[in-house]
Each structure stands twice: as structure tokens, then as C-alpha cells.
Amino acid sequence: MSNDRSEHGAGRVGQVKEVTSLTNPIIKDIRALAQKKHRDETRSFMAEGLKLVIDALDLGWKIKTLIYAKAAKGKPHVEQVAAKTVAKGGLVLEVSEKVLSTITRRDNPQMVVGIFEQRYQSLKDLRPELGQTYVALDRVRDPGNLGTIIRTADAAGASGIILVGETTDPFSLETVRATMGSVFAMPVARASAEDFIRWQKSAGVKVVATHLAGAVDYRTIDYKSKPVVILMGNEQAGLPEDLAREAGALARIPQAGRADSLNLAIATGIMLFEARRHLLSLDARA
Ligand code: SAM
């Protein structure tokens, strides 16, 4: 399979390469995506699984490299995504299972892996509308939590995630895995705490901050009259004073038992489904 056109003007010629050597420089480069530094430099990330790759392409994400196992060769869906990748100027690699295991660091890897260009939404372009819900996460540290929150936000019909301060990377393999594909559906923006505070003042939103010392029961809050931003605190430290002070309401989820607090992803899920309760129904899957 070959193609002389490149939609992106980089002059690269799409092609299928067969790779079996673990020391192949392209494979080394892909393996290096396990490091954040390399992901940042190349603005790339890896997603595993044929369905995810198909969904990502449907949603317009730019694929840089498609990698599939020899055993997947000739399967119609694999051939289709390979053709799409080539048509978009990407590289297609047919590799041994051993190479796939090394790339994904798994014993039983998925047959198909895509390397995509990272995408961030700019905070200043976020103009929430009535009926929309965003989740802002203060310094979220745990990749599993972030991935679960992205997935849950997608399921609740939220419109995006805002990462505030130094956070874990939404494009790490662990986070992407935990999103179960929702990384391609949920826009993600980044901001410093100062920029977030500035933005929230001008965006016409209601910021509902969650806090273990919150005085307001989260079930009594009005989530209907403005677009809502649910603000969640860091796993260890909770929400800092400056962010808590600026919020329209400090909400608490009542607890019983001996646990000091809820897990961040669980608390975010509870808040999201309460904030969007009036918009969700079994009949309408938006
Ligand atoms: N030691 C931290 C503290 O004192 O805030 C615990 C943080 S908790 C693990 C992580 C975040 O989940 C909190 O900052 C808050 O946003 C949310 N959270 C957890 N349990 C909550 C509850 N019962 N009510 C409101 N928010 C909660």
C-alpha cells in the first residue's frame, strides 16, 4: 500500500512497513512515548484497540502511526483504518506480537494501536452555555482517577474537563486506558489557578466547588439556571483556599461511616450525575 499525497503538507509518503526487530528506531521512538517528556516533545500519545482507533478517526483525531499485529492483517476493519491512515499521510506498521507487547507493555496486547496527535482546548475559547457542565480538577495526581473522571464525564454528558495547576498527563498510557475511549470525546483544557479564576469570573458560569468542610448539601444546589463548573480538589490536599474562596457554592456530599472522604473520581461522579439529573433520562442518549 502506498500513497504519494500528504494532506498536511509534510511531504511524507504513507506506507506499510513490516517490523519485527525490537531495536528498530521507529519502535524505540514509540516506546519512548511511555515518558511524558517524549510525549510532550512529539505532542503524541498512544491508544490501544481497533474500536478506539476507528472512533478516534471518526471524531477527526489526527493519526500519526497505526500499528497492527501480523495476525490482524487482512481483517476488513483493520484494512480500512490502515487505508485511512495512509490517506492522511500517516505511517502503518505491521509488527510481530512481541513488538506489540513491548510497545504496550502488556503480555496480551490489543491487535491494533494508534499513535495520535495530542489535542487541548484553549480555556479562553471555552464559552459554556446553559445546560452544559464542565469539570475542573485541581492538581489531579492519579492517572487512574483522571481517566475514570474523563470517562464518567463523557457518560454524564459533560462538555469538557479543565485541568487546573500541575496535573497528571491526560495522554499517559494509564490515563488513556482508564478513559476507555472517552479521551477522544471529551475536550480537555489546561489552566493555572490564576487563569482559571480569571476565566470563571468572565464566563458566566456557576462554580460548584466540593469541599469536605462545605456547608451546602450538594443535593440542594441549583444546577439549572447557569452553566455549571464542578470544581474538585486534589487527592491529598483537597481544594486550596484561593480556589475555594472564589466559588459560588462550597458543596459537600454527606457521608456516614468511618471513611474521611470519598475517592476523587467517585465524588466527581456523584456530583456530575446530580448536576445533570434534570438533563438525563433513560430514553434520550445524547
Ligand atoms: N484530605 C483531603 C481533604 O482534606 O480535602 C481529601 C481530598 S478527597 C480524597 C479529594 C476531593 O474529592 C476533595 O477535594 C473533594 O473535591 C472531593 N470529595 C471527596 N469526598 C467529598 C465529600 N464528602 N464531599 C465533597 N467533596 C468530596
Side-chain angles (χ1 to χ4, degrees), residues 14-36:
Q15 56 191 301
V16 178
K17 275 191 203 302
E18 246 188 88
V19 184
T20 49
S21 163
L22 297 177
T23 54
N24 181 299
I26 305 175
I27 300 301
K28 280 190 166 170
D29 228 38
I30 292 171
R31 289 197 66 200
L33 289 176
Q35 295 145 29
K36 183 172 187 307

Side-chain angles (χ1 to χ4, degrees), residues 138 145 209-214 216 218 231-240 250-255 260-268 271:
D138 154 52
N145 273 346
T210 58
H211 204 288
L212 298 185
V216 186
Y218 79 112
L231 174 60
M232 307 297 301
N234 164 269
E235 289 97 332
Q236 275 81 44
L239 211 57
L250 270 195
R252 178 150 50 105
I253 304 165
Q255 288 185 212
D260 288 336
S261 63
L262 293 163
N263 160 274
L264 170 64
I266 299 282
T268 309
M271 290 303 298

Side-chain angles (χ1 to χ4, degrees), residues 94-115:
E94 188 185 305
V95 303
S96 61
E97 259 201 51
K98 192 161 171 217
V99 170
L100 258 185
S101 285
T102 317
I103 290 173
T104 58
R105 290 154 205 265
R106 282 203 161 178
D107 287 341
N108 292 308
Q110 297 267 0
M111 297 286 230
V112 176
V113 166
I115 310 297

Side-chain angles (χ1 to χ4, degrees), residues 216-223 274:
V216 186
D217 184 323
Y218 79 112
R219 295 165 297 188
T220 64
I221 292 171
D222 167 21
Y223 298 101
E274 179 63 19

Side-chain angles (χ1 to χ4, degrees), residues 131 154-158 276 279-286:
D154 181 20
R276 297 193 57 76
L279 298 162
L280 292 165
S281 85
L282 287 181
D283 307 325
R285 202 179 159 126

